[in-house]
Amino acid sequence: MQEPDSHRQSSYDPRRIIGSILMVIAILILLGTAAYSLHAGILRSAGNTAPKSASAGLTRPAQPPITCTTPQHSSGNINGSITSAGLKRTFLLHLAPSYGRQPQPLVINYHGYGITSGAMAQYSDMGAEADKAGFILVFPQGVDSPPSWNAGIGAFGPTGDANDIQFTRDLISYLEKNYCVDAHHIYVTGYSLGAGMAYRVACTLSNQIAALATVAGAFYHAPGGCNPSRPIPVLEIHGQEDMLAPYNGNPPKEMAAVSVFLNVWFTHDQCDTNTSKVIFHQGDVTGTEWPDCADGTIVEHYRISDGGHVWPGAIPRPSLGFTTHVINANVVIWNFFSQFKS
């Protein structure tokens, strides 16, 4: 009679009951995990195919409103021409990708003697800086053969025959009418004789020019002298081993030294020459600034100790001397220009 009772007790063994309960719980957990994974996968799949919400674009910087009222133009290079002083004059215009929404600064870059506006655009590569900073860039084309500029008077007379001051005046007027130019931010720069042309333009059209920068400048005496109507910020970049526009000038050709050029602007800008300071010194480049000048203007000079007749930062041209890459003239020039307005 004891065996049946013992069998019934073993059928209800607590250990077996607990084991069964744990097994059921484990099955339920596995089923729940599988269901969750399936649900999450469906959501992820839906998220990949569903259109993005409007809020996704809120992290992007807002575009400035369109305030330009001039005709629309595509970005990139444009070959243009105008008639000035009875001559057809040409130029190469470069518009940044950001062009067309709001007025942008204008930089005029004069090529060197004997080369073209296209060659100057390629050599300087200033268009890359225009694209980054957002300014309009124009390379005017000189006339004569080979191409030259009427930048001043040297030992053999005027350096060119055309009325390049009038050309510049007409070019600015044309660009302001047909392109979205900020008239208070117009700057002139140039290379070699083109730097001399930029110098003469700043002397003559100072009411329109916000700042001047020159690279390897060939400076000649401007007819009637340099008589700006107001102080002009000036940047000069020059190599001490420049053989074509010597740092200390070329007296037989009546080409002025860098020191003479700087002294002209120290006088016009009423600078305290005792307050100069070194603002950059690295490798072969030393930058000096004269900050205490009239009307908030400054004069800066970058001297390249072994630099030739070159555009710093450009592709080297050994026939013109050594090209430093410690600085990039385009960056230095734009950083300088962007501080000033007329």
Side-chain angles (χ1 to χ4, degrees):
M1 296 296 294
Q2 295 297 322
E3 290 182 1
D5 291 339
S6 297
H7 179 72
R8 284 196 296 269
Q9 287 177 2
S10 63
S11 299
Y12 296 99
D13 188 342
R15 290 174 297 179
R16 290 186 178 183
I17 295 174
I18 292 172
S20 298
I21 293 173
L22 291 175
M23 183 176 293
V24 171
I25 292 173
I27 291 171
L28 290 175
I29 291 174
L30 289 172
L31 291 174
T33 301
Y36 175 81
S37 298
L38 177 62
H39 180 67
I42 293 172
L43 289 178
R44 281 196 300 271
S45 180
N48 288 335
T49 57
K52 295 180 180 180
S53 66
S55 63
L58 296 179
T59 58
R60 298 177 181 176
Q63 289 284 354
I66 297 177
T67 60
C68 291
T69 58
T70 50
Q72 291 296 309
H73 301 277
S74 299
S75 61
N77 291 337
I78 300 170
N79 289 302
S81 66
I82 61 172
T83 299
S84 176
L87 294 176
K88 179 181 178 180
R89 303 301 302 264
T90 62
F91 57 88
L92 174 63
L93 185 69
H94 180 84
L95 301 179
S98 58
Y99 172 81
R101 301 192 70 88
Q102 295 186 323
Q104 290 187 331
L106 170 65
V107 174
I108 305 173
N109 190 331
Y110 298 89
H111 62 74
Y113 176 77
I115 66 174
T116 65
S117 56
M120 185 63 199
Q122 184 177 20
Y123 175 52
S124 68
D125 194 30
M126 195 175 233
E129 186 65 19
D131 288 348
K132 288 190 295 183
F135 59 83
I136 300 168
L137 176 61
V138 63
F139 297 91
Q141 178 61 55
V143 293
D144 298 328
S145 183
S148 187
W149 296 108
N150 193 342
I153 300 174
F156 309 105
T159 60
D161 296 325
N163 189 341
D164 290 318
I165 292 294
Q166 187 60 44
F167 172 38
T168 300
R169 186 183 287 114
D170 292 339
L171 178 60
I172 292 173
S173 178
Y174 172 84
L175 293 176
E176 288 181 340
K177 181 179 179 180
N178 293 279
Y179 293 85
C180 199
V181 174
D182 184 341
H184 294 290
H185 293 84
I186 298 176
Y187 311 99
V188 289
T189 187
Y191 164 67
S192 189
L193 185 61
M197 187 66 223
Y199 167 37
R200 187 177 180 191
V201 168
C203 292
T204 310
L205 304 181
S206 55
N207 61 321
Q208 293 180 278
I209 304 304
L212 161 69
T214 63
V215 179
F219 305 120
Y220 294 94
H221 174 69
C226 180
N227 301 292
S229 61
R230 64 182 186 84
I232 299 287
V234 173
L235 165 66
E236 207 281 339
I237 302 173
H238 218 111
Q240 286 188 293
E241 298 299 320
D242 190 329
M243 301 301 292
L244 297 179
Y247 192 87
N248 293 318
N250 187 334
K253 292 186 177 180
E254 297 185 16
M255 187 186 298
V258 171
S259 60
V260 172
F261 170 84
L262 292 175
N263 281 325
V264 167
W265 290 105
F266 290 154
T267 300
H268 289 311
D269 292 348
Q270 304 170 41
C271 300
D272 182 352
T273 56
N274 295 315
T275 60
S276 66
K277 61 180 181 179
V278 174
I279 58 172
F280 184 90
H281 183 69
Q282 183 178 330
D284 56 352
V285 182
T286 301
T288 304
E289 178 183 279
W290 290 264
D292 191 6
C293 305
D295 297 346
T297 60
I298 60 176
V299 174
E300 287 186 5
H301 172 50
Y302 280 73
R303 184 185 74 249
I304 299 99
S305 61
D306 52 1
H309 192 66
V310 298
W311 190 273
I315 296 174
R317 294 190 174 181
S319 62
L320 298 175
F322 177 73
T323 300
T324 187
H325 284 80
V326 171
I327 61 170
N328 183 308
N330 299 320
V331 175
V332 173
I333 289 170
W334 178 248
N335 286 344
F336 181 81
F337 281 168
S338 63
Q339 304 174 70
F340 305 105
K341 66 178 182 178
S342 60

